[in-house]
Every structure is written in C-alpha cells, then in structure tokens.
Amino acid sequence: QVQLVESGGGSVQAGGSLRLSCAASGRTFSRNVMGWFRQAPGKEREFVAAKVISWSGTSTVYAESVKSRFTLSRDNAKNTVYLQMNSLKSEDTAVYYCAASTKTTATPVPRAGDYDYWGQGTQVTVSS
C-alpha cells in the first residue's frame, strides 16, 4: 500500500520560513514526478512545485507565485521530498499536499489529475 506522509507544517509570521517533508512508502518514486499542491479555504487546489529525475536529467517546475521563495528538493535514497518555503506571505496560507505520479516524464506537469497518490495534507498558516 502506497502512503505519502507529510510533516513540517505550522504557524509562522510573514517573512518567516518553514520546511515541509513528504516521505513515501510502499513503492519507490525515484524516476517519477513528486511534488506539492496547496488548497486555501474556499479555493481550488493549486500546483506549487514538482520535480522529476529522469533519463534526461533533473527538471523542477514552480508556480509563478512561489518562484524564488520556495525550493523543492528530493532524496531518492529516502524516498522523500522537501519543500523549503522562505519569505512566506499570508497568501501562502493553505493545506499543503504531497503528490506522486506513476508516470515517467522528463518534465513535471502541474495538473492534479496527473498525480496518482496524495498525502493527507499539512496546514501552513502565515500571519501578517
């Protein structure tokens, strides 16, 4: 049974930092896309960032709203991805979900429908 377990959420003031972790178990995703989405109250789930290590190299994609502030990294040996979030803003407040795809692709795609496994979510609250 595949499980994605997130950790690291919490409350922080604007301008602060948090680091989210997502540990996968049940199968390895070393050549598959893993990433993060988020959902704020009353809004649709939106793409945050994703990374894949394929035969052609490493590719990381970020939403425009988080570029230069968030950094996605992964440790394939631990089957874990991390999301380092710096310069947090109140609009970053949301439940953050880890996601993994069984597809192999050279470039991550930002569509939630392309991801097969999801974590339970971790709350991030940024106060201004």
Side-chain angles (χ1 to χ4, degrees), residues 33-38 46-52 58-74 81-86 92 96 107-111 115:
V33 181
M34 293 189 73
W36 293 88
F37 288 73
R38 67 187 182 186
E46 65 173 0
F47 172 78
V48 176
K51 179 185 285 287
V52 64
T58 301
S59 179
T60 309
V61 176
Y62 295 95
E64 284 296 326
S65 59
V66 306
K67 272 184 181 178
S68 77
R69 299 188 298 121
F70 290 12
T71 302
L72 176 62
S73 60
R74 59 190 293 174
V81 292
Y82 306 93
L83 185 67
Q84 177 66 44
M85 306 185 295
N86 298 329
D92 294 318
Y96 283 70
T107 304
V109 292
R111 294 186 299 267
Y115 294 80

Side-chain angles (χ1 to χ4, degrees), residues 7-128:
S7 60
S11 297
V12 65
Q13 289 192 331
S17 300
L18 284 173
R19 187 192 193 212
L20 305 183
S21 300
C22 171
S25 61
R27 66 160 283 169
T28 60
F29 293 96
S30 59
R31 294 293 183 182
N32 304 109
V33 181
M34 293 189 73
W36 293 88
F37 288 73
R38 67 187 182 186
Q39 188 166 18
K43 295 187 177 181
E44 293 186 353
R45 189 169 298 190
E46 65 173 0
F47 172 78
V48 176
K51 179 185 285 287
V52 64
I53 301 173
S54 69
W55 60 271
S56 63
T58 301
S59 179
T60 309
V61 176
Y62 295 95
E64 284 296 326
S65 59
V66 306
K67 272 184 181 178
S68 77
R69 299 188 298 121
F70 290 12
T71 302
L72 176 62
S73 60
R74 59 190 293 174
D75 184 339
N76 279 346
K78 296 181 179 180
N79 219 19
T80 299
V81 292
Y82 306 93
L83 185 67
Q84 177 66 44
M85 306 185 295
N86 298 329
S87 302
L88 283 162
K89 305 175 182 179
S90 57
E91 50 262 45
D92 294 318
T93 295
V95 177
Y96 283 70
Y97 296 91
C98 177
S101 172
T102 59
K103 298 179 178 62
T104 54
T105 176
T107 304
V109 292
R111 294 186 299 267
D114 285 321
Y115 294 80
D116 304 286
Y117 300 101
W118 294 84
Q120 81 286 355
T122 185
Q123 177 70 46
V124 171
T125 302
V126 184
S127 57
S128 56

